[in-house]
Amino acid sequence: MTPGDAVRPTAQSAAPPLTRRSAGTLSGRFARWAVALSPRGKWALFGCWFALDAVLALAPPVYWAAGDPRFQSGPGIPLSVCYFLVLGAHISAGVVALYCVESARGEID
């Protein structure tokens, strides 16, 4: 083996290798998916996610329909309260998922 052989590029994927710092506590499969995701694909995915959240959070007719007494199924938690709990969980999951993707890609300082 000559010194020139050591620097010859090999045919591997364009994604940078995962390191302990870039993968963090994420699973290896998720980290590989996040690193392979293109910037345009990342913004399309999370843009749609947050646009859906904005529409659902800012659409009063959906909340009013959930608060209609005809849709209540007994003396439990009102459906309008469940609507905001589920919507809050969906928004929080989107923020956490975006943080995990950017953390795996090494985009967070």
Side-chain angles (χ1 to χ4, degrees):
M1 175 179 247
T2 64
D5 292 337
V7 292
R8 186 177 303 156
T10 59
Q12 293 180 351
S13 66
L18 291 176
T19 62
R20 191 70 132 143
R21 184 175 184 276
S22 67
T25 59
L26 301 171
S27 70
R29 179 185 241 175
F30 176 79
R32 283 190 298 276
W33 173 81
V35 169
L37 188 65
S38 71
R40 188 176 196 167
K42 179 182 81 166
W43 289 114
L45 174 70
F46 288 104
C48 290
W49 189 326
F50 292 130
L52 175 67
D53 287 339
V55 167
L56 291 176
L58 299 174
V62 177
Y63 172 70
W64 294 334
D68 191 356
R70 292 179 292 172
F71 295 122
Q72 304 305 320
S73 62
I77 298 175
L79 202 57
S80 57
V81 173
C82 292
Y83 172 78
F84 276 109
L85 290 175
V86 169
L87 184 61
H90 193 264
I91 292 169
S92 300
V95 171
V96 169
L98 182 58
Y99 173 79
C100 290
V101 166
E102 290 185 344
S103 177
R105 293 168 62 94
E107 297 175 347
I108 295 179
D109 293 333

